[in-house]
């Protein structure tokens, strides 16, 4: 099935034009952001900037005038998705039931991934040198670790569960989004149900192998260096 383009609309706060910017400049910026979302959703964040400029119908000079670096374009194109992901984790941490909060957060994130190919480029792709992206991802990592520990403390999440297991879930879920939107959502819900059932603490359950050394931004980016 053909890959589904990103569904993010042009309402992201990252699109807020600079005060005093001319109408044609604002229009070009919006076209560049939409073209970037669509291109990243289809092919990931390795798409050349020149390709995005052509897709938007503007010259390379116009692109670089609005987004001097590749990282600044990626950050602007997907800031809304990163904000939504972190908000889902923050909401889960406020839930009085830690297990319910963890399940709810995983459901929302998996649904976002299944509905929009742009999710992987935004949240799981390589990290450009952009402080805002790094801060949001760091918040996500920290929030996820807290969610996991709170669920463990209730005794409902198996003690050998590791936050990196969520990365494994998202890696598996990423393969689902190559299907139609309807099939993607159905498959994602079933995959998550299997995953959550296996995560419940049960007496006599065999121990898991050691956790994989994975972080959220390791999934689609360069291999993690240990030297």
């Amino acid at each position: 099935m053909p890959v589904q383009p990103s569904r993010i609309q042009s309402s992201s706060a990252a699109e807020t034009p600079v005060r005093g910017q001319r109408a044609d400049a604002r229009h070009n910026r919006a076209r560049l952001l939409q073209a970037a979302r669509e291109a990243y959703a289809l092919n990931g964040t390795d798409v050349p900037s020149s390709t995005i400029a052509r897709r938007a119908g503007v010259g390379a000079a116009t692109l670089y005038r609005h987004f001097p670096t590749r990282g600044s374009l990626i950050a602007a194109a997907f800031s809304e998705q990163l904000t939504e992901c972190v908000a889902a984790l923050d909401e889960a941490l406020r839930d009085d039931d830690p297990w319910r909060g963890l399940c709810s957060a995983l459901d929302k994130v998996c649904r976002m991934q299944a509905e929009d190919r742009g999710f992987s480029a935004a949240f799981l792709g390589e990290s450009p040198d952009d402080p805002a992206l790094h801060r949001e991802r760091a918040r996500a990592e920290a929030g996820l670790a807290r969610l996991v520990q709170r669920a463990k403390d209730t005794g409902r999440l198996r003690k050998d569960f590791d936050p990196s297991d969520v990365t494994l879930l998202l890696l598996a879920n990423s393969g689902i989004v190559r299907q139609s939107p309807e099939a993607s959502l159905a498959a994602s819900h079933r995959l998550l149900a299997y995953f959550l059932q296996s995560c419940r603490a049960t007496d006599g359950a065999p121990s898991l192998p050691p956790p994989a050394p994975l972080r959220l931004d390791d999934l689609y980016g360069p291999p993690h260096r240990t030297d």
Side-chain angles (χ1 to χ4, degrees):
M1 298 295 295
V3 174
Q4 298 299 312
S6 172
R7 293 183 180 179
I8 286 189
Q9 301 302 314
S10 58
S11 59
S12 171
E15 294 183 37
T16 302
V18 177
R19 180 174 297 179
Q21 197 175 55
R22 295 186 315 177
D24 58 341
R26 293 195 299 269
H27 179 64
N28 286 338
R29 177 182 171 86
R31 290 175 64 180
L32 283 165
L33 286 171
Q34 185 61 31
R37 292 188 190 104
E38 293 172 353
Y40 294 154
L42 288 168
N43 301 301
T45 55
D46 290 331
V47 178
S49 296
S50 57
T51 300
I52 293 172
R54 286 196 301 271
R55 191 183 189 106
V58 302
T62 298
L63 185 151
Y64 289 116
R65 187 159 54 247
H66 288 282
F67 306 104
T69 66
R70 179 170 165 272
S72 65
L73 177 58
I74 295 173
F78 291 118
S79 64
E80 182 176 295
Q81 282 187 318
L82 284 173
T83 299
E84 289 179 4
C85 289
V86 175
L89 294 172
D90 289 342
E91 182 180 357
L93 284 167
R94 293 192 295 269
D95 196 316
D96 293 335
D97 184 332
W99 171 256
R100 182 177 61 196
L102 177 63
C103 293
S104 174
L106 293 180
D107 178 69
K108 290 177 182 177
V109 173
C110 284
R111 188 186 317 121
M112 289 178 64
Q113 188 181 27
E115 288 179 338
D116 192 339
R117 284 298 303 274
F119 174 94
S120 296
F123 200 61
L124 305 174
E126 64 176 291
S127 298
D129 187 18
D130 185 273
L133 277 179
H134 285 292
R135 283 195 300 270
E136 289 295 271
R137 285 182 176 171
R139 282 189 63 203
E141 294 272 5
L144 177 60
R146 291 197 301 273
L147 274 175
V148 168
Q149 189 57 53
R150 290 177 72 234
K152 283 184 179 181
D153 291 343
T154 67
R156 299 178 68 183
L157 179 65
R158 55 187 304 154
K159 294 186 181 299
D160 55 357
F161 186 93
D162 188 84
S164 65
D165 293 329
V166 176
T167 307
L168 293 177
L169 168 66
L170 296 178
L171 178 60
N173 201 50
S174 68
I176 293 170
V177 301
R178 300 181 187 278
Q179 308 301 320
S180 68
E182 295 78 12
S184 293
L185 281 173
S188 180
H189 289 155
R190 190 170 179 84
L191 174 65
L192 179 59
Y194 273 123
F195 180 81
L196 292 175
Q197 286 186 26
S198 69
C199 294
R200 286 181 178 273
T202 56
D203 294 336
S207 298
L208 295 170
L214 293 174
R215 293 170 58 86
L216 290 176
D217 57 3
D218 286 330
L219 289 180
Y220 293 88
H224 184 63
R225 295 178 62 91
T226 57
D227 55 355

